[in-house]
């Protein structure tokens, strides 16, 4: 049995090397600035397009859990804004804010979303919102890249209104029988795609290493609870490669 991992361990690493949270945050931000122009294409190639199906399901479940009222929504670690844009199509009158520490990623998101969305260049550990004001936070493949992921979860809990929800989509540990096949793809195919398409193999080596070091489903569920949220729903994709977890602030 693998030992439990905690998010504060993640905050002391950058890929396979040790790094302070400050250095980790700066390196991750620089990495995403570099790969932003080809980020969406890389996601399609790495996942064979399945990430779009995962996100479609996540949006459907997010809307099912959305509390009543008109409080804003936040797409945290928003990247190029695909979740925020899907929410905009479903909720054309709602205020939706994108938050990401990478100026490069936000530039791509702004080119896609225009003035229909609000944009904030900020880390997940220091959200630019008052307490108890947000109805929903979506966080897709961004928790493991925060400088201090545990603090990021606590910030989500702080800004959510009572009854508000966190919708988390993140990589997880695949089922035991599928893990060897997935590891071959992750360790050997993804960095080569990164070298050829994004011209940045080191960035995609980091991303693979960050997935391998990330805590398992039950560990993340425990951290969500410690942040003050109650897990309401979860499901896995592709034999555990990715997992959705939806939690509520009481």
């Amino acid at each position: 049995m693998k030992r439990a991992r905690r998010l504060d361990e993640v905050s002391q690493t950058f890929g396979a090397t040790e790094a302070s949270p400050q250095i980790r945050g700066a390196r991750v931000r620089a990495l995403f600035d570099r790969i932003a122009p080809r980020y969406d294409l890389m996601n399609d190639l790495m996942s064979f397009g399945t990430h779009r199906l995962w996100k479609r399901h996540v949006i459907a479940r997010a809307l099912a859990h959305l509390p009543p009222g008109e409080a804003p929504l936040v797409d945290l670690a928003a990247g190029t804004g695909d979740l925020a844009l899907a929410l905009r199509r479903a909720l054309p009158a709602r205020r939706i804010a994108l938050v990401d520490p990478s100026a490069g990623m936000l530039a791509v998101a702004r080119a896609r979303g225009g003035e229909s969305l609000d944009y904030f260049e900020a880390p997940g550990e220091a959200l630019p919102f008052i307490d108890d004001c947000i109805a929903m936070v979506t966080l897709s493949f961004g928790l493991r890249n925060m400088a201090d992921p545990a603090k990021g979860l606590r910030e989500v809990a702080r800004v959510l209104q009572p009854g508000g929800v966190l919708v988390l989509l993140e990589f997880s540990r695949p089922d035991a029988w599928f893990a060897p096949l997935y590891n071959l793809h992750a360790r050997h195919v993804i960095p080569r795609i990164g070298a050829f398409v994004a011209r940045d193999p080191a960035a995609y080596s980091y991303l693979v290493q960050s997935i391998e070091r990330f805590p398992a489903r039950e560990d993340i569920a425990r951290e969500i609870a410690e942040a003050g949220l109650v897990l309401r729903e979860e499901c896995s994709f592709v034999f555990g490669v990715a997992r959705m977890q939806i939690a509520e602030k009481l």
Side-chain angles (χ1 to χ4, degrees), residues 20-235:
S20 70
Q22 293 77 16
I23 292 174
R24 168 185 168 83
R27 289 180 178 176
V28 169
R29 188 164 56 251
L31 180 155
F32 280 101
D33 283 342
R34 295 198 311 270
I35 67 175
R38 295 176 180 264
Y39 181 75
D40 290 326
L41 175 60
M42 281 295 303
N43 282 348
D44 284 336
L45 293 173
M46 289 188 303
S47 71
F48 306 104
T50 56
H51 76 102
R52 296 180 182 273
L53 300 177
W54 305 345
K55 290 173 180 174
R56 190 178 304 168
H57 178 79
V58 166
I59 289 295
R61 298 312 304 152
L63 294 172
H65 284 271
L66 181 64
E70 300 300 325
L73 315 183
V74 170
D75 187 17
L76 178 56
T80 59
D82 45 359
L83 282 190
L85 288 167
L87 289 169
R88 167 56 67 233
R89 290 189 290 270
L91 302 165
R94 202 66 169 265
R95 183 184 176 194
I96 301 173
L98 287 76
V99 179
D100 199 288
S102 166
M105 297 294 273
L106 280 180
V108 176
R110 189 185 293 274
R112 298 175 69 191
E115 299 306 312
S116 68
L117 301 163
D118 298 324
Y119 305 88
F120 296 89
E121 184 181 336
E125 302 89 340
L127 296 177
F129 309 111
I130 63 172
D131 296 357
D132 305 323
C133 71
I134 303 297
M136 175 183 290
V137 174
T138 56
L139 177 50
S140 171
F141 302 119
L143 181 63
R144 76 182 191 287
N145 293 317
M146 290 184 185
D148 188 340
K151 186 176 181 181
L153 284 179
R154 294 193 298 272
E155 269 292 273
V156 168
R158 179 185 68 79
V159 303
L160 282 175
Q161 64 183 19
V165 293
L166 165 66
V167 181
L168 175 66
L169 175 63
E170 189 54 89
F171 288 110
S172 189
R173 295 182 189 172
D175 296 344
W177 71 268
F178 187 65
L181 295 174
Y182 174 74
N183 290 338
L184 282 173
H185 173 72
R187 293 173 183 173
H188 301 289
V189 176
I190 289 177
R192 285 173 171 79
I193 296 175
F196 181 72
V197 177
R199 303 183 184 92
D200 199 331
Y204 285 90
S205 293
Y206 156 77
L207 291 174
V208 170
Q209 292 160 358
S210 72
I211 294 168
E212 292 177 344
R213 286 175 171 260
F214 199 66
R217 180 207 66 80
E218 58 273 17
D219 301 323
I220 294 300
R222 183 167 52 251
E223 301 256 7
I224 287 171
E226 291 177 5
L229 304 173
V230 178
L231 193 62
R232 294 302 191 198
E233 181 180 341
E234 59 181 336
C235 71

